[in-house]
Amino acid sequence: MVEQSTIWQAMDAAHHLHPFVDNGALAREGARMVTRAEGVYIWDAEGRQYLDAFAGLWCVNLGYGRPELAEAAARQMNELPYYNLFFKSSNVPAARLAQTLAELAPAHINHVFFTNSGSEANDTVFRMVRYFWALKGHPDKKVIIGRQNGYHGSTVAGASLGGMKSMHRQGGLPVPGVEHIRQPYWYDEGGDLSQDEFGLLAARALEEKILELGADNVAAFIAEPIQGAGGIIIPPSTYWPEIQRIVQKYDVLLVADEVICGFGRTGEWFGCDYFNIHADLMPIAKGLSSGYLPIGGVMVADHIAETLKQAGEEFSHGFTYSGHPVCAAVALENLRILKEERIIEQVRSQTAPYLQMQLQTLADHPLVGQIRGVGMLAAIELVADKHSRRRYDGNGRVGALCRDLALKQGLILRATGDTMLISPPLTITRDEINILVERAGQALDATQAALESES
């Protein structure tokens, strides 16, 4: 297989442009060719096995190789492989999925607009919030406020709503009408404040921005319940209640981006359930189908849905593959398994507490400044000095080193700067958690040894 892997790598390097990578460097190095997967493991073309502690990209909630999902896709392919939702049409899987999602969502949210990804869901949010306020007679309420270092996708609208400077530098983003406030990242930005004090400070940055812009100009605030790609940033307990007070006071829509947190990642169906957030819109994707097929959407609160229904005109927005019948059928089967096998309940009461407990055994490692987590989300902060929380120099060099050394241990982690991110399949077992933590410790040891050899 090694020879075949080399052929595939050459083919990939010659013709394939990858996302979020230096394509020239990758072409010289050669991509890792992933050929199969089962449970929490993937294998590359050379036969190496890796424990996927990142569930693909936060999405393979049921784990790899569930035959029920493949069978659901095959049945629907044979019955109705595709038809669109234009021309006053629908399909049975899309209608059933909409009803199922309404049953799972908070009680005031009973509608969904289907998309193909989280990025498209947030493009839809961009359009929908502005259209909603125009219908309500407030056409000047256009500004959407996001958070610095937040992530809402990589399309023009999604990257604008997100607050990642590296993305904004490419393409002259954000687009007009998007503003950003500070993130609730106590470990990095809290200084000498307590977590509760910092949570209030970070939340009140929203009120300051609304007053600066004028409440009559602000349409919505968008934020992830837990910032994912930004570093698994868990807001202090004071943060979300204060955000809720502020948006209600100034009549601003609250958009809770559930693309990562949704469908069990926090040990609840949604991040809104975990933090008791009363959202007006909830973008969803990833765990909706466990990544088996691309599907996303925006869950829409009743008062917004009714306003759109009463508009007397069409909402000029949609996608060729919105509510694709095969993707919807797979999502339905995915949700059925999550419910009937009580996987989210198991995460909440058993495996997530065990994961978080076992990860804390790494807290005394010389490189580790903090380990934090909720449900099947966790972050390991790598620091040069534990007491001061001082970072390494080098713009994420140590995190990238640890990520690459983890691969040599057969473990897939993600690095955001010098923060190592963990987000395994919800189906991971205690024995597999033990393997994950053991390999993470080995990667930390190897990283420390490499750094010491440089000095």
Side-chain angles (χ1 to χ4, degrees):
M1 287 292 285
V2 174
E3 181 178 351
Q4 184 63 59
S5 178
T6 302
I7 294 171
W8 288 331
Q9 286 179 323
M11 185 188 308
D12 191 82
H15 304 290
H16 188 187
L17 293 174
H18 288 246
F20 283 94
V21 74
D22 178 338
N23 275 279
L26 179 62
R28 291 188 293 272
E29 179 184 343
R32 182 173 63 253
M33 304 301 296
V34 179
T35 55
R36 67 185 182 96
E38 184 71 26
V40 299
Y41 292 101
I42 67 169
W43 285 262
D44 67 20
E46 297 179 19
R48 289 185 291 254
Q49 182 202 69
Y50 306 88
L51 194 158
D52 183 4
F54 209 67
L57 275 177
W58 322 85
C59 57
V60 189
N61 288 10
L62 280 186
Y64 297 98
R66 290 297 299 239
E68 304 97 320
L69 300 187
E71 291 161 5
R75 285 195 302 270
Q76 188 58 46
M77 280 272 190
N78 285 321
E79 184 171 323
L80 176 67
Y82 169 73
Y83 197 70
N84 63 76
L85 299 186
F86 291 50
F87 317 136
K88 300 182 180 180
S89 300
S90 190
N91 62 73
V92 174
R96 289 182 56 214
L97 180 58
Q99 177 179 347
T100 300
L101 287 168
E103 292 168 353
L104 295 174
H108 67 288
I109 296 178
N110 289 287
H111 297 77
V112 60
F113 186 101
F114 286 118
T115 68
N116 307 295
S117 68
S119 292
E120 286 186 1
N122 283 313
D123 277 37
T124 301
V125 163
F126 196 98
R127 296 282 311 281
M128 189 175 287
V129 296
R130 289 183 165 188
Y131 182 50
F132 167 78
W133 283 119
L135 291 174
K136 299 292 285 185
H138 301 287
D140 292 334
K141 283 178 81 73
K142 292 181 178 178
V143 178
I144 303 176
I145 301 172
R147 294 192 297 209
Q148 296 165 6
N149 203 34
Y151 185 82
H152 302 292
S154 61
T155 54
V156 169
S160 294
L161 294 172
M164 294 195 164
K165 293 180 180 178
S166 61
M167 299 178 73
H168 290 173
R169 284 194 294 269
Q170 299 174 348
L173 302 177
V175 297
V178 179
E179 300 282 341
H180 297 91
I181 61 170
R182 73 181 308 165
Q183 59 185 336
Y185 193 178
W186 174 83
Y187 188 81
D188 214 40
E189 303 176 13
D192 294 329
L193 295 175
S194 71
Q195 293 204 39
D196 284 351
E197 290 170 334
F198 180 72
L200 291 174
L201 178 71
R204 287 170 184 167
L206 175 60
E207 188 165 31
E208 293 169 7
K209 181 61 72 172
I210 292 171
L211 292 173
E212 173 193 328
L213 299 169
D216 290 343
N217 298 314
V218 178
F221 174 61
I222 184 170
E224 305 153 88
I226 295 172
Q227 279 172 251
I232 303 184
I233 299 164
I234 303 165
S237 61
T238 52
Y239 180 80
W240 276 114
E242 185 68 359
I243 290 290
Q244 200 79 60
R245 178 192 71 80
I246 292 165
V247 296
Q248 290 173 350
K249 178 178 180 180
Y250 296 101
D251 200 16
V252 170
L253 297 179
L254 180 55
V255 184
D257 186 337
E258 292 275 7
V259 170
I260 288 173
C261 290
F263 307 105
R265 183 61 52 189
T266 65
E268 302 289 344
W269 275 100
F270 297 101
C272 286
D273 298 325
Y274 184 86
F275 289 105
N276 195 28
I277 300 167
H278 189 88
D280 298 291
L281 297 167
M282 289 171 26
I284 55 174
K286 294 191 184 293
L288 174 57
S289 69
S290 284
Y292 279 55
L293 282 176
I295 187 170
V298 181
M299 299 296 298
V300 182
D302 294 345
H303 69 104
I304 296 178
E306 290 307 313
T307 298
L308 267 61
K309 287 182 177 181
Q310 295 169 11
E313 63 181 20
E314 68 179 36
F315 178 38
S316 301
H317 178 74
F319 306 97
T320 300
Y321 302 116
S322 292
H324 191 291
V326 180
C327 301
V330 170
L332 275 167
E333 184 65 9
N334 177 68
L335 298 179
R336 183 195 67 78
I337 294 170
L338 285 172
K339 287 190 293 184
E340 292 189 6
E341 296 187 7
R342 300 184 62 80
I343 289 171
I344 296 172
E345 291 84 350
Q346 184 178 7
V347 166
R348 183 193 311 128
S349 64
Q350 298 180 40
T351 49
Y354 187 74
L355 171 68
Q356 302 298 339
M357 179 182 68
Q358 292 302 101
L359 285 172
Q360 288 298 327
T361 65
L362 305 175
D364 291 335
H365 194 280
L367 297 184
V368 175
Q370 184 195 48
I371 296 175
R372 60 179 177 269
V374 165
M376 285 293 174
L377 289 167
I380 302 174
E381 297 276 8
L382 306 183
V383 294
D385 181 77
K386 284 175 174 279
H387 178 71
S388 66
R389 311 202 289 262
R390 178 171 59 85
R391 298 287 186 174
Y392 285 96
D393 297 328
N395 193 28
R397 181 181 67 88
V398 174
L401 174 64
C402 185
R403 176 201 62 207
D404 293 344
L405 291 171
L407 283 172
K408 293 183 177 180
Q409 304 296 333
L411 178 67
I412 295 175
L413 301 175
R414 178 171 176 170
T416 290
D418 290 334
T419 307
M420 309 310 297
L421 311 185
I422 295 170
S423 176
L426 306 187
T427 52
I428 191 170
T429 66
R430 288 193 174 210
D431 288 343
E432 290 163 345
I433 289 171
N434 292 338
I435 295 169
L436 186 163
V437 174
E438 178 184 11
R439 293 181 184 179
Q442 292 167 348
L444 292 171
D445 290 343
T447 303
Q448 183 183 11
L451 293 172
E452 290 174 350
S453 69
E454 295 175 357
S455 58

